[in-house]
Each structure stands twice: as structure tokens, then as C-alpha cells.
Amino acid sequence: MSTVLVTGAFGQVGKRCAEILLQRGHSVVALDLDNEKTRVTAAELAGSGSLVPAFVNLLDAEAITALVAQHQPAAIVHLAAMLAPASYRNPALARKVNVEGTRNLVTAALALPEPPLFVYASSASVYGSVNPYTHPERITTQTPVNPIDQYGEDKVLAEALLRESGLPVALLRLGGVISPDAQKTASSDHLVLMRATPGDNRMHTVDARDVALAFANAVERGRAVAGKVFVIAGDESHMRTHRELEDTMMGAFGLGALGPGASLPGDPADENGWSFTGWFDTTESQQELQFQEHSWPQTVEWVASSVGPARMVLTVLGPVLRPTLRAVLALQRRREKRGRYADPWGLISAHYGREALAGRTRS
């Protein structure tokens, strides 16, 4: 078995990918930032096999070069990133982490006597705003990239860097990853993104366990996947609208659905009036990577089972909380002078500044 370097190894996908690789007999060099949470996750994974925790910052080029030279991985699974919407608060730092951090890994990999397979976690955000009225077809790897936000632009730049590197590269563009971890990392930024997204926006989700499996399988199918792009999302049951998705998740937490009035619709005449993602055609990616193991109901049950005692409290308080939340959302929309349609990127730029948008849309 081989040595695999996994970045972002203690995040929602990384820890599950590392666990699969360890169970299959691989040695895993697990790279992540050093904090209490990552130390706890590293300790949990330590008994699964040959794990080498590596608390190294991607922006420390010398440390990255030394780490890669020491372990000489046969494959690199690059999951670490500064994600949206948190990245909107500091797009300059996000650019360094998401692009220059990737460059540091590429430079270190190119110095090895045998170039490793580089499996990269890209995002549906590379496709930008996809209007389902004018583009009803599903997103494929041939769909042109057209990022509308800073994060999607970061991913496009990193993809280009990897293509030009000469390394054997597999690009995995992820849909909306769902796991119980989300409730632990939710923030005010996520609430802004939720409010910004049109209720009828197409959302294609995927279970974090299935994403982890896709990366682990890619590692072991290097010759078949090198040079390819894959769209990674769940089976047909994972294709929802944003309002359906949000209401189902609120039901899983015990609160219950807020209903259609909690969201504004997207403008059918506005090509930039939609959030990512869209619905993917996963036929090829499923054939190659064999990763779709959990249906939408199974994912929802996974999330619901993780909520704990708070779920019962929310279920009891739901009849009171739901109308209150609907009233708060309506009041926020009036204060923000939002019109008939969601206009997600108008709200995002008003909240975070124009730097949250891709360069082509900045004034």
C-alpha cells in the first residue's frame, strides 16, 4: 500500500477520507492546522492505522516542501481551503490559502523523483450563477466555468495552476456537502448565504461520507482518473430546491419547515440572479468512482440522529419559533430594501463588499 498526503485531513470530508484510506492499509500523512479540534480528531483517527499527523500551514512553503520530501507520497488529496462564505470576510487571505497554498503543494510535489497523483477538491462554485430557466440542462464537466464569487474564482485559478503543472491531476468539483458537522460550524456568515439564495435555486447535495469515498477511490484509480474532471454529487434523490433543502434540514434539527415564504425567488430574466450550485449529471463520475452510497433520506436521518437532546427541545418550541423566524426574515428583507427577487450577489456584495465577488464583476 502507498503513502497518501491528505490536506484538510481533520475536516468533514478529510477525516472520513483518511479513515477509509487507513482502513484499506494506506499510510496517511494528515495535514491540517494545529488547534484543539484538529488535535481531538487526530487522536480519534490514530487507532485506525498508520497515521502521521502533520500540523503545518499551507502558506509555509519551506515546511510543505520538507514534509512532502520526507514522506514522498504516491498521492496528494488536497481538501484544505478557506471556504465560502467565511472567505468573503477576507478574500485576500482566502486567495493566498486557496491558490498560493495549492502552489506550494505543487512545487513540493514536482521536486519528488516520482510525481504523485494530485486529487483536488474543487467546487460547484466554479460554474457561478446558473439560471434554471435559461439553462435547464444539468451541469457537466463540459459546462463552461463562469465564477461569480471570490471563492469560485479561487477554485478556477487553482484548477488552472494544477493543469499547467504537468502533474497527474484529477479535479473533483463538489456539490453541496452535507454532514452532521455543519451544525457545529454554522455561523452568521452561513445565515447570510442562506437568506441570499433564491428559494427555487437548484441545489444538488452529497453526503460527506460519499465525498470521502470518491476521493479514496480516486487515489486507488490513479491511472484511470488522471487528467479528468469529475462532478461529485449525490444520486437523483439529492436534487432539491434551496427551499426544500433548508426546510428538510430544519425538520432534521427538530424545528420544522419554515415554508415558501421564508425565501425570495430567483429572477427568471437575470443570468446573475442565482446562487450556485445547480443539478449535476453524475453519470460519468459515478461510473469511474463508485461513490454514491447514501440517498437523501439516509443523509437526512444521519443528520437528525446526531442532533441529540436539543432536537426534542426544538420540536416542542417549533410552533412558536417558526412564525417568529418568518417574521424576522421578513423584517430583514424590508430593512435591506430587497425587491421581488432574491438578487443573491447584490446582498452578498452589500454585506461583505464588492471584493466578495469575482474580479470580472468588481467595479
Side-chain angles (χ1 to χ4, degrees):
M1 289 293 151
S2 62
T3 296
V4 182
L5 171 63
V6 180
T7 75
F10 303 130
Q12 67 171 340
V13 173
K15 65 184 179 184
R16 295 177 174 99
C17 179
E19 186 174 31
I20 295 169
L21 292 169
L22 290 167
Q23 290 172 349
R24 292 179 177 180
H26 296 278
S27 297
V28 174
V29 180
L31 184 152
D32 215 319
L33 296 175
D34 188 4
N35 55 52
E36 184 177 350
K37 179 182 175 182
T38 55
R39 289 277 177 179
V40 169
T41 305
E44 291 172 350
L45 286 173
S48 303
S50 181
L51 179 78
V52 180
F55 297 108
V56 177
N57 192 314
L58 278 175
L59 298 182
D60 188 339
E62 290 185 5
I64 292 294
T65 297
L67 181 73
V68 172
Q70 177 185 355
H71 295 283
Q72 301 197 19
I76 296 174
V77 174
H78 185 25
L79 299 163
M82 190 169 175
L83 304 175
S87 63
Y88 300 157
R89 290 192 176 276
N90 195 338
L93 177 60
R95 178 62 50 88
K96 289 180 181 178
V97 172
N98 297 339
V99 181
E100 296 310 312
T102 302
R103 191 186 308 278
N104 290 340
L105 275 173
V106 167
T107 301
L110 288 171
L112 295 178
E114 194 70 32
L117 172 70
F118 202 113
V119 188
Y120 178 62
S122 189
S123 167
S125 62
V126 301
Y127 297 112
S129 172
V130 180
N131 185 334
Y133 290 91
T134 56
H135 297 283
E137 69 279 3
R138 296 195 191 182
I139 292 170
T140 71
T141 56
Q142 282 72 49
T143 301
V145 299
N146 187 32
I148 196 167
D149 74 330
Q150 154 275 320
Y151 180 68
E153 189 173 56
D154 284 359
K155 288 298 184 181
V156 169
L157 290 171
E159 284 190 8
L161 188 161
L162 287 163
R163 284 196 183 94
E164 295 164 4
S165 70
L167 292 170
V169 171
L171 304 175
L172 277 59
R173 294 173 178 165
L174 310 184
V177 181
I178 305 291
S179 80
D181 302 23
Q183 61 180 303
K184 303 171 186 175
T185 58
S187 66
S188 59
D189 292 316
H190 290 91
L191 294 177
V192 173
L193 188 60
M194 287 166 58
R195 292 197 302 107
T197 303
D200 52 344
N201 206 102
R202 289 179 171 184
M203 307 294 289
H204 201 154
T205 59
V206 58
D207 192 297
R209 296 168 293 187
D210 291 354
V211 180
L213 181 60
F215 280 95
N217 286 347
V219 165
E220 296 185 337
R221 302 174 190 185
R223 188 170 296 178
V225 303
K228 294 184 179 180
V229 179
F230 299 97
V231 288
I232 304 298
D235 64 18
E236 299 287 305
S237 66
H238 280 265
M239 297 166 63
R240 305 278 159 171
T241 65
H242 170 70
R243 189 69 255 145
E244 291 171 339
L245 167 61
E246 189 174 293
D247 279 347
T248 304
M249 284 292 102
M250 287 189 168
F253 293 142
L255 181 62
L258 293 182
S263 298
L264 291 172
D267 184 351
D270 185 359
E271 292 302 295
N272 290 328
W274 300 85
S275 185
F276 42 81
T277 56
W279 292 341
F280 287 170
D281 181 348
T282 61
T283 305
E284 182 181 359
S285 57
Q286 173 62 8
Q287 287 174 347
E288 292 272 9
L289 298 174
Q290 296 293 308
F291 64 95
Q292 293 173 337
E293 293 193 343
H294 298 90
S295 67
W296 174 242
Q298 290 172 316
T299 302
V300 173
E301 175 56 32
W302 182 37
V303 173
S305 65
S306 72
V307 177
R311 191 173 192 276
M312 184 176 295
V313 175
L314 287 172
T315 300
V316 172
L317 295 178
V320 175
L321 291 176
R322 287 194 298 274
T324 302
L325 285 172
R326 284 192 287 264
V328 168
L329 289 169
L331 178 60
Q332 285 179 313
R333 289 198 290 264
R334 285 197 296 272
R335 284 179 176 173
E336 293 161 347
K337 298 181 180 179
R338 299 178 74 185
R340 176 182 174 187
Y341 296 112
D343 185 22
W345 304 109
L347 180 62
I348 293 294
S349 62
H351 192 84
Y352 297 101
R354 298 285 293 175
E355 291 301 306
L357 304 183
R360 65 176 179 79
T361 60
R362 294 179 191 148
S363 56

